[in-house]
Amino acid sequence: MRYFKEFSNRNRIVSEHTCNAVSNLQDTSCYVIKFVMSGSEKCIVNSRAINIFPDSFTVINAGTDHCSLIDSITPVSTLAIYLNTQFVEDFNRLFFLDHEQQLAHTALKEKPQFVETLYPLVGNLRYNIGHLKRQIDKGVEDEMLLNEYLHHCLFGYYQIYRKEIDEKYQSLEFLKVKTRKEIFRRLLLAKEYLHGNLYKEIKLEDLAKYCCLSTNHLLRTFKKVYGQSPYQYLIHLRLDRAKLLLRTTDYPSSEITRLVGFESPSSFVRLFKTCVGTTPSKYRES
Amino acid sequence: MKKLTIIHYHVRVSNLLKAIAFFREQLGLQVEKTSLKHFDGAIVSYSPTLQIFLSEKVYLEQTDEVHLYTEDCLEHYCHLKTKNVTFENKPHYLPSGLSVVFTDTDGNRYRLLESRSY
């Protein structure tokens, strides 16, 4: 099942419900924001695999070569929004320039280039995407309304970008900008690895090797940026994913334990109760 | 069972008929003309828990700012735009959610608020 809508300003929305799909795309005229409403999708961006789940999304710059893969027994529901470069540039001016600068037609020096990584689907973007998906499912064709949602989705993304990229990047203390950028890039790789592999046992050494940092350097800088060790980050991630599965699926607790990478159902229940304050079954009922 | 609380707003209008037309035709709400011992005007039903009492007469506790809760502020905003409702601003974010303000023919302000838990 596929929904496709292209607007007069060349923005596009594609919503799919499928078990198997492969798409290869390089679009120089659009920025792409990819969401997964249920299931998971593997996205290869610049030869790097990013696994998108319903609690996250990714952004792909205009002109970046990317490929999407879906291979699942149960149907995966995805939503991709393609934002025309002019639409994003206009929004960028609105976001960064004050009213006087906008009236004076002050131009921003650079075209927007976003960090292509995995972002948490939180805050206003989560609400705006939920509303947009509901309108699509209702078959709404109103271009003004759908473009309003896209505008607010972009706003929600900029809020997340500020928190996840700008603020976290600033928290790294390196004298050389080049070093700071490189360390931050490697930490993003570590974060993507944790998100994409949380269902299996992850060793600190493997994580350090993946992001090309020594274990000590990884531990120190990861904690500086994310406020917790990679292991604590992973546990929170697993619990958040478990909460999502408990809310949105009827999978048994044992299956959820396996999907989020806990060793045994008893350790999952014990940790869940310690951190969330209630058992998984009571959480699901509530 | 939780007790249902109904919020009432009292709003003064200069012309009741014009105000009724605004609420019925532009906002698409149910309006009932009412003449009671203590109130003379019209009652607008916004939701099962929110009513607006319109009157040309002066009553205690009348306000010129009404808070209306909505499930989807953007949908509501775009719908009312097509009905030529005048908005004071564009939808904007508050700590409690997404909001936009429109006015009636007398300049009373109605704040649409989509409550969001961050």
Side-chain angles (χ1 to χ4, degrees):
Chain A
M1 203 165 66
R2 191 171 195 260
Y3 168 96
F4 177 87
K5 171 103 182 145
E6 181 159 10
F7 305 117
S8 51
N9 60 4
R10 308 301 298 275
N11 286 338
R12 302 197 299 273
I13 299 175
V14 181
S15 173
E16 279 186 288
H17 195 68
T18 180
C19 289
N20 297 92
V22 180
S23 68
N24 207 335
L25 195 71
Q26 186 187 27
D27 195 333
T28 51
S29 65
C30 282
Y31 292 85
V32 191
I33 312 184
K34 294 177 86 68
F35 303 90
V36 171
M37 314 316 283
S38 67
S40 71
E41 179 182 17
K42 184 181 262 188
C43 197
I44 314 285
V45 184
N46 280 329
S47 314
R48 207 171 81 240
I50 296 175
N51 291 301
I52 313 168
F53 289 88
D55 52 8
S56 55
F57 67 97
T58 193
V59 174
I60 299 153
N61 288 312
T64 296
D65 195 10
H66 65 277
C67 163
S68 290
L69 296 162
I70 294 173
D71 185 14
S72 167
I73 300 164
T74 52
V76 175
S77 175
T78 62
L79 177 69
I81 58 180
Y82 296 77
L83 301 173
N84 183 265
T85 47
Q86 194 58 52
F87 181 86
V88 178
E89 281 171 31
D90 289 345
F91 180 86
N92 213 44
R93 293 181 74 249
L94 273 175
F95 194 82
F96 288 110
L97 300 181
D98 61 32
H99 193 59
E100 278 184 20
Q101 286 172 314
Q102 283 172 36
L103 286 175
H105 297 287
T106 307
L108 286 166
K109 281 177 190 164
E110 291 167 2
K111 285 189 174 182
Q113 278 294 306
F114 304 109
V115 176
E116 292 162 330
T117 185
L118 206 59
Y119 296 89
L121 182 55
V122 291
N124 287 309
L125 184 60
R126 184 168 66 88
Y127 283 94
N128 296 335
I129 278 297
H131 289 325
L132 175 63
K133 182 75 170 82
R134 197 162 41 251
Q135 297 292 351
I136 290 169
D137 292 344
K138 278 198 305 195
V140 169
E141 294 276 327
D142 182 351
E143 189 166 329
M144 179 187 148
L145 174 63
L146 295 176
N147 259 317
E148 194 70 35
Y149 282 118
L150 295 186
H151 177 89
H152 281 265
C153 285
L154 197 51
F155 182 84
Y157 170 58
Y158 271 55
Q159 285 182 317
I160 293 171
Y161 193 90
R162 190 169 267 178
K163 207 173 165 193
E164 289 296 313
I165 303 296
D166 294 341
E167 287 179 14
K168 287 188 167 40
Y169 174 74
Q170 292 302 330
S171 66
L172 277 175
E173 289 162 354
F174 287 97
L175 286 176
K176 283 186 182 172
V177 175
K178 207 174 165 184
T179 312
R180 192 197 263 193
K181 274 187 180 171
E182 185 54 30
I183 297 294
F184 188 62
R185 189 187 70 80
R186 293 182 193 194
L187 289 175
L188 289 175
L189 284 178
K191 188 189 76 173
E192 284 168 20
Y193 186 87
L194 292 173
H195 279 261
N197 297 284
L198 66 84
Y199 59 90
K200 60 186 182 190
E201 191 192 351
I202 299 174
K203 286 182 181 161
L204 184 64
E205 292 74 22
D206 293 340
L207 183 65
K209 198 176 167 189
Y210 181 79
C211 65
C212 305
L213 286 168
S214 70
T215 50
N216 281 338
H217 204 176
L218 171 65
L219 278 172
R220 197 170 63 248
T221 50
F222 195 96
K223 192 156 189 180
K224 186 89 186 158
V225 169
Y226 294 103
Q228 52 195 336
S229 69
Y231 179 72
Q232 288 167 326
Y233 185 93
L234 179 65
I235 293 298
H236 281 120
L237 197 61
R238 283 174 170 165
L239 288 170
D240 285 344
R241 185 70 52 82
K243 282 198 264 182
L244 181 82
L245 291 169
L246 286 165
R247 281 198 308 269
T248 58
T249 69
D250 53 5
Y251 296 160
S253 190
S254 55
E255 180 67 4
I256 291 175
T257 304
R258 191 187 61 79
L259 286 171
V260 299
F262 283 108
E263 277 178 14
S264 69
S266 59
S267 63
F268 165 57
V269 172
R270 198 167 51 245
L271 198 65
F272 194 93
K273 201 172 176 185
T274 310
C275 297
V276 185
T278 183
T279 61
S281 53
K282 281 184 183 164
Y283 179 84
R284 176 174 263 164
E285 283 166 20
S286 68
Chain B
M1 206 170 110
K2 206 177 169 185
K3 202 176 167 185
L4 192 69
T5 312
I6 300 178
I7 301 165
H8 299 110
Y9 282 103
H10 287 263
V11 174
R12 194 176 174 206
V13 292
S14 58
N15 185 320
L16 187 64
L17 291 179
K18 268 191 185 175
I20 290 173
F22 171 77
F23 279 94
R24 267 194 192 141
E25 285 150 33
Q26 286 182 268
L27 302 192
L29 297 172
Q30 247 187 25
V31 188
E32 203 181 315
K33 267 193 93 175
T34 314
S35 192
L36 301 166
K37 193 179 169 188
H38 301 293
F39 176 76
D40 187 22
I43 302 172
V44 181
S45 299
Y46 175 74
S47 72
T49 56
L50 199 149
Q51 292 180 329
I52 304 164
F53 285 62
L54 305 172
S55 182
E56 290 174 3
K57 293 180 182 173
V58 178
Y59 289 102
L60 276 175
E61 295 176 5
Q62 273 177 337
T63 179
D64 58 0
E65 180 145 346
V66 175
H67 287 227
L68 305 171
Y69 287 92
T70 175
E71 292 278 306
D72 186 340
C73 185
L74 295 179
E75 183 185 33
H76 219 133
Y77 167 73
C78 288
H79 175 70
L80 296 183
K81 282 283 267 190
T82 61
K83 300 277 181 188
N84 295 319
V85 172
T86 310
F87 282 87
E88 263 189 14
N89 47 28
K90 287 193 165 185
H92 56 279
Y93 293 93
L94 301 174
S96 53
L98 184 58
S99 170
V100 69
V101 177
F102 66 88
T103 52
D104 64 10
T105 45
D106 287 285
N108 294 305
R109 300 171 80 241
Y110 299 83
R111 180 177 290 281
L112 276 176
L113 178 69
E114 180 190 331
S115 199
R116 293 183 174 186
S117 152
Y118 296 117

